[in-house]
């Protein structure tokens, strides 16, 4: 999934209409001249990576002297990343983000009256907005009420910023636009931390509206492909006229088998936030066919050392849920997977879902099968609970 580093995302935010700090990127210690940068002090120093405040604890430095600036830049460069030296902006911190949610075919807009390093987005107030409708005044007002944003001027500033971000999110075909944090000094709202991700298959016109420099944040590592990855590639190549499949093995122990592109990426985030280490990422387009799906699903279910399985995806529209359920059950047999020993949560909805659920309950005893009323996040929470229970305790969980 293409992402922008801090040094690329900040100018992009400025181009779309938000206020941002001045910044320079330092790749070598000697680039930091005695009389530069042209702004500050104080300065903010942080690594030039693709991310915002979350996870940067200990990596963001506030420097009020030239010696502190030099030390912070040196420490950042030694961590292996270029250093962003940024103008320090005074003010209170707040949070705003838009994330694609394929489960509801919309976007989740989150806001909070706090933010910054270590802030957890799940603490923010949230509202789901249809991609065609966009956030209206009523939805924004309700969101800011739940976020406990009371200052009328700040509410107006956040509302204006949201409209700017929404336009950029849609026109550039983004998956995530997160500003963490904004700083508010009573007059000006300034984005001082940003994370953005984009649909890798976006229209050329949308790609032209993205930051100038992107990095590939797909879960691919610099190593030889595993036997399971090779099997999926071979199955995909064997039927070039059918829709494609993809499979990447990670270093965790829970098979994340959520199809639907953005839904799969959201599931990875949900699992990681719960302290669960995903073992794989996969995706299949409608029409992939039986051979491809069975290879894809059996590859995921045969990853060594699995402690849990999450299966399903966004609500199906072009695929029959019964067919998906049958292929999953067949793949479990093919991989020798035992759902009575490995906690398995299924969140599958779409045409003929009742019949699909009956197939899954019959052929995968022990699997916890959820209906469409449960969200993808609910499924992740249930999997964590199931992994912490004994087999006897699992009998009381939702089926």
């Amino acid at each position: 999934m293409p992402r922008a580093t801090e040094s690329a995302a900040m100018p992009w935010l400025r181009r779309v209409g938000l206020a941002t700090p001045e910044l320079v990127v330092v790749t070598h210690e000697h680039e930091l001249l005695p009389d530069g940068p042209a702004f500050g002090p104080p300065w903010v120093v942080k690594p030039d990576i693709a991310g915002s405040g979350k996870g940067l604890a200990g990596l963001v430095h506030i420097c009020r002297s030239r010696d502190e600036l030099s030390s912070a830049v040196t420490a950042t460069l030694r961590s292996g990343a270029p250093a962003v030296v940024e103008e320090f902006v005074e003010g209170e911190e707040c949070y705003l983000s838009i994330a694609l949610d394929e489960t509801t075919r919309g976007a989740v807009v989150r806001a909070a009256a706090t933010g910054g390093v270590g802030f957890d987005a799940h603490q923010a107030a949230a509202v789901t907005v249809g991609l065609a409708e966009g956030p209206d005044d009523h939805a924004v007002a309700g969101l800011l009420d739940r976020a406990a944003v009371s200052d009328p001027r700040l509410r107006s500033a956040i509302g204006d910023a949201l409209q700017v971000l929404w336009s950029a999110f849609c026109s550039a075909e983004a998956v995530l636009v997160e500003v963490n944090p904004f700083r508010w000094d009573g007059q000006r709202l300034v984005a001082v931390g940003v994370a953005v991700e984009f649909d890798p298959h976006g229209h050329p016109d949308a790609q032209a509206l993205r930051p100038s420099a992107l990095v590939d944040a797909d879960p691919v590592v610099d190593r030889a492909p595993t036997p399971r990855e090779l099997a999926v590639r071979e199955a995909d190549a064997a039927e070039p006229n059918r829709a494609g499949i993809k499979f990447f093995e990670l270093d965790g122990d829970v098979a994340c088998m959520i199809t639907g592109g953005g839904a799969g990426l959201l599931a990875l985030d949900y699992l990681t936030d719960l302290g669960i280490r995903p073992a794989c990422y996969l995706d299949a387009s409608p029409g992939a066919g039986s051979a491809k799906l069975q290879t894809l699903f059996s590859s995921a279910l045969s990853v060594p050392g699995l402690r849990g399985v999450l299966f399903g995806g966004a609500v199906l529209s072009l695929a029959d849920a019964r067919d998906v359920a049958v292929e999953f059950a067949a793949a479990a047999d093919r991989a020798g997977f035992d759902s009575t020993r490995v906690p398995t949560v299924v969140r599958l909805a779409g045409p003929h879902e009742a019949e699909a659920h009956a197939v899954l309950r019959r052929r995968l005893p022990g699997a916890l099968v959820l209906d469409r009323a449960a969200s993808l996040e609910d499924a992740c929470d249930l999997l964590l609970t199931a992994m912490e229970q004994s087999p006897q305790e699992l009998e009381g969980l939702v089926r």
Side-chain angles (χ1 to χ4, degrees):
M1 191 68 64
R3 292 183 177 183
T5 61
E6 182 91 358
S7 62
M10 281 297 185
W12 180 72
L13 284 184
R14 193 176 304 124
R15 287 198 304 273
V16 302
L18 294 182
T20 63
E22 295 294 326
L23 65 82
V24 295
V25 180
V26 180
T27 57
H28 300 284
E29 293 179 45
H30 69 268
E31 293 178 355
L32 194 61
L33 301 175
D35 57 348
F39 50 85
W43 302 276
V44 179
V45 178
K46 51 189 169 180
D48 191 20
I49 58 177
S52 60
K54 189 172 182 181
L56 292 179
L59 299 178
V60 177
H61 307 268
I62 309 298
C63 306
R64 302 185 182 279
S65 69
R66 294 293 310 179
D67 288 343
E68 289 180 357
L69 176 62
S70 179
S71 297
V73 168
T74 298
T76 302
L77 293 175
R78 287 177 180 172
S79 72
V84 173
V85 180
E86 196 172 86
E87 173 192 7
F88 180 79
V89 178
E90 296 281 359
E92 299 179 358
E93 293 180 336
C94 57
Y95 174 94
L96 185 62
S97 70
I98 306 170
L100 183 66
D101 183 4
E102 291 194 2
T103 302
T104 61
R105 299 187 182 182
V108 177
V109 180
R110 290 184 168 89
T114 59
V117 173
F119 177 76
D120 185 351
H122 290 96
Q123 299 173 8
V127 62
T128 300
V129 178
L131 292 176
E133 296 81 15
D136 59 28
D137 292 344
H138 178 73
V140 174
L143 176 68
L144 295 179
D145 286 343
R146 293 193 297 277
V149 179
S150 57
D151 182 341
R153 293 176 300 170
L154 178 56
R155 289 172 68 94
S156 177
I158 292 177
D160 291 344
L162 175 56
Q163 295 301 331
V164 170
L165 288 179
W166 182 265
S167 177
F169 178 86
C170 294
S171 61
E173 295 186 11
V175 173
L176 171 71
V177 177
E178 178 185 60
V179 178
N180 182 29
F182 273 112
R183 283 189 179 270
W184 169 250
D185 65 2
Q187 296 183 348
R188 191 172 69 135
L189 191 65
V190 182
V192 300
V194 59
V196 288
E197 298 181 9
F198 300 93
D199 180 354
H201 307 296
H203 190 277
D205 290 345
Q207 295 185 35
L209 298 174
R210 297 173 180 179
S212 56
L214 297 175
V215 296
D216 185 4
D218 273 342
V220 180
V221 295
D222 185 16
R223 56 161 171 77
T226 69
R228 289 159 292 280
E229 289 171 334
L230 289 174
V232 171
R233 293 181 191 179
E234 291 169 1
D236 195 37
E239 297 184 285
N241 295 325
R242 286 193 172 274
I245 57 175
K246 56 185 176 182
F247 175 79
F248 301 108
E249 217 162 308
L250 307 174
D251 60 357
D253 51 17
V254 169
C256 182
M257 303 176 65
I258 301 296
T259 60
L265 294 169
L266 283 172
L268 291 177
D269 280 347
Y270 289 149
L271 293 173
T272 301
D273 286 344
L274 291 171
I276 296 174
R277 295 168 50 245
C280 62
Y281 166 82
L282 56 76
D283 194 24
S285 298
S290 177
K292 286 190 178 186
L293 287 180
Q294 283 200 33
T295 301
L296 180 67
F297 295 159
S298 62
S299 294
L301 292 172
S302 60
V303 172
L306 286 182
R307 295 178 52 245
V309 172
L310 177 66
F311 176 74
V315 176
L316 303 173
S317 57
L318 301 177
D320 190 319
R322 293 172 300 185
D323 295 338
V324 177
V326 167
E327 302 301 352
F328 180 66
D333 293 340
R334 177 175 169 178
F337 176 77
D338 187 351
S339 58
T340 65
R341 298 177 63 86
V342 179
T344 303
V345 172
V346 178
R347 193 268 182 196
L348 184 64
H352 305 291
E353 63 191 69
E355 296 95 322
H357 294 170
V359 169
L360 291 166
R361 291 191 175 105
R362 183 176 68 254
R363 297 187 58 181
L364 284 96
L368 305 170
V369 183
L370 305 178
D371 61 25
R372 67 171 59 214
S375 68
L376 182 55
E377 193 167 5
D378 292 335
C380 294
D381 290 337
L382 180 59
L383 178 61
L384 177 62
T385 300
M387 291 170 61
E388 294 174 342
Q389 305 298 315
S390 67
Q392 293 77 22
E393 292 172 317
L394 289 180
E395 295 179 2
L397 295 178
V398 176
R399 295 292 300 275

